[in-house]
Amino acid sequence: MLALLPQQIAPPTPAQAELTERWLTPLGDALQAYCRTLRAETDTVLAPQLPSAAGKPYPYGRCEEITQHLYGRLQERLRQPAHPVELALQGFAAAGGLLRSVWGVLREQYFQNALQMGTLYVDVSNDTVVVTKPPVEILPMEASGLVAVRDLAHFRQTAERYWAATLYANHLVPSLAPLLPLVSVSPGRLRPGLQSACDYMIELMRRDDFQQAEAWLRDGPPPPPDLRLARLPADLRPWTTDPRQEAVLACQRARAAGASIDPHWRHARVSDYLRLLRDPAAQTLG
């Protein structure tokens, strides 16, 4: 059995079902009430900090930021639990219960971050797409509709549906194409950018030795000639007149060098991506 990827949903097991029944089910509504309190505290911190997303105010589109902020604070509290729910969660985790952040496609409609507690789906950002929904939803994981992204095609289908995005092959930054093989364009929602720089998708590309990335880079539609990224340092621009072939070769060379299992190579590529985002001296493409 393959190891779980970062933020991958863990399949339910009898052991996790037993731990959930023993430690979490007796909490009843207290678990939801506790998560709502944590969410309100997170809102107090994040709402003033985060700008609107796709022209819509917080919390719209902020499921990742909300979930990760709340999860980080929950982990801190479990080091010195005081609340009855915290004591139960600490006991649950100490007994082997799963307590992790997860990410996937929710009901084949949109990407969603959530928490997995044993066999429970705990969505602490339930109102970030439909803002009239309750902020917290807790369901059995199997009934939640959250599934792992299967492959690039599944990611593209979801991005097209959720972001109204058009997806192109990443011929703009060939050196990053083995890990980030997609360019998304979503007018009025997201700036043109490389997809997807989340740990799950990066590891999914590494798992098959960049095979599906290479196939998309070879056969997928090229970006329009006038497409620009906001910032692109000169050393990350294509260096040949055939960026499609350059991107394909990047996958082949990475495979030959064993890059799919080389953490240093991964770190260097992610660092390049972050530099693309943050480098104040970076120039636009073209």
Side-chain angles (χ1 to χ4, degrees):
M1 181 178 178
L2 293 173
L4 290 176
L5 298 178
Q7 290 196 284
Q8 185 174 357
I9 304 148
T13 65
Q16 289 299 316
E18 191 277 327
L19 288 168
T20 302
E21 185 67 23
R22 188 198 327 165
W23 289 95
L24 303 185
T25 300
L27 293 173
D29 294 340
L31 179 59
Q32 176 131 1
Y34 177 77
C35 289
R36 288 188 70 125
T37 298
L38 288 184
R39 169 60 194 276
E41 294 170 358
T42 287
D43 289 343
T44 299
V45 175
L46 295 186
Q49 297 179 358
L50 296 176
S52 61
K56 299 180 181 181
Y58 181 94
Y60 181 83
R62 297 301 185 178
C63 67
E64 179 181 8
E65 293 89 342
I66 290 169
T67 303
Q68 294 309 314
H69 184 275
L70 189 151
Y71 181 52
R73 288 172 45 249
L74 176 60
Q75 289 179 306
E76 290 178 4
R77 292 190 178 198
L78 293 185
R79 295 187 186 103
Q80 293 183 308
H83 191 282
V85 171
E86 294 166 1
L87 291 166
L89 288 173
Q90 186 195 54
F92 168 74
L98 282 172
L99 179 55
R100 58 191 267 121
S101 67
V102 292
W103 174 83
V105 177
L106 187 63
R107 302 172 192 127
E108 295 301 333
Q109 295 179 355
Y110 43 80
F111 301 116
Q112 185 70 14
N113 290 264
L115 303 181
Q116 180 172 7
M117 298 182 182
T119 58
L120 294 180
Y121 165 85
V122 181
D123 185 352
V124 296
S125 56
N126 187 51
D127 56 343
T128 56
V129 176
V130 180
V131 296
T132 56
K133 286 185 175 182
V136 174
E137 180 177 55
I138 300 178
L139 296 168
M141 182 61 76
E142 290 185 301
S144 71
L146 186 71
V147 298
V149 174
R150 296 183 296 272
D151 48 33
L152 275 182
H154 192 201
F155 183 94
R156 294 197 310 271
Q157 291 163 5
T158 307
E160 289 166 355
R161 183 179 299 117
Y162 180 26
W163 299 334
T166 302
L167 284 302
Y168 302 101
N170 176 14
H171 303 159
L172 299 181
V173 195
S175 63
L176 301 186
L179 293 184
L180 304 171
L182 303 166
V183 176
S184 67
V185 177
S186 182
R189 292 176 179 245
L190 300 171
R191 290 186 301 174
L194 305 184
Q195 300 295 341
S196 168
C198 70
D199 286 339
Y200 177 88
M201 289 301 297
I202 285 173
E203 295 309 312
L204 190 64
M205 296 302 96
R206 296 176 79 202
R207 174 169 277 181
D208 76 349
D209 223 7
F210 316 114
Q211 295 284 355
Q212 61 179 313
E214 180 181 342
W216 171 251
L217 294 163
R218 182 185 62 243
D219 302 330
D226 61 346
L227 181 61
R228 303 287 187 268
L229 297 181
R231 290 171 174 167
L232 186 56
D235 63 306
L236 296 182
R237 299 178 185 183
W239 53 274
T240 72
T241 57
D242 188 353
R244 180 191 296 272
Q245 183 61 16
E246 195 175 332
V248 169
L249 283 173
C251 292
Q252 295 172 349
R253 289 168 178 165
R255 187 179 308 121
S260 63
I261 58 172
D262 182 353
H264 301 292
W265 181 89
R266 181 196 190 280
H267 177 76
R269 301 291 77 71
V270 172
S271 295
D272 281 344
Y273 172 73
L274 295 176
R275 183 161 55 90
L276 183 156
L277 294 182
R278 297 172 183 168
D279 184 359
Q283 302 174 20
T284 56
L285 180 65

